[in-house]
Amino acid sequence: MTLLENIYHHLHNNGLVNNREHFSKHYLGKSKNWYAVQTHEGRDFSTSAAIECLRNLRTATQGEALNASQQLALLTAERLVSQHLNQQHAVAEIC
């Protein structure tokens, strides 16, 4: 399973995304079918999708209506995506 799939399942299991289409549009900034195509082809995050995901995870972390497990899920996902960007794409920091 790719990191992209792991992040989706992690967010979905914690009630932070409704479905794959929601994840594609709201966390990745892509079309509603982008996640489905990537997973069908066995691909992981693109650089642009990972950066957009990281930004949206950080924004979501500041939400007021989140419970402790959702906050932890977002922070864990943020750390994993950040590590992926650093290791796979040599992106050290995203503001």
Side-chain angles (χ1 to χ4, degrees):
M1 187 177 289
T2 65
L3 178 62
L4 177 65
E5 292 170 294
N6 281 328
I7 296 296
Y8 166 73
H9 289 293
H10 187 65
L11 296 178
H12 185 263
N13 292 340
N14 283 285
L16 293 162
V17 294
N18 300 327
N19 52 44
R20 291 163 178 84
E21 291 85 5
H22 179 247
F23 179 62
S24 288
K25 290 173 68 177
H26 295 281
Y27 279 88
L28 305 177
K30 302 289 185 183
S31 73
K32 68 178 186 172
N33 296 319
W34 190 87
Y35 176 86
V37 171
Q38 291 298 103
T39 55
H40 177 74
E41 297 291 329
R43 297 181 191 147
D44 208 344
F45 278 105
S46 65
T47 306
S48 65
I51 290 170
E52 188 67 18
C53 185
L54 184 59
R55 287 182 177 144
N56 288 318
L57 288 167
R58 288 176 176 167
T59 299
T61 302
Q62 298 173 16
E64 296 178 17
L66 300 173
N67 62 41
S69 66
Q70 289 174 321
Q71 284 281 359
L72 182 59
L74 288 168
L75 291 172
T76 301
E78 179 183 337
R79 182 181 50 81
L80 291 171
V81 174
S82 182
Q83 286 175 344
H84 172 78
L85 280 165
N86 191 335
Q87 293 170 354
Q88 300 297 319
H89 304 288
V91 175
E93 188 173 328
I94 300 295
C95 298

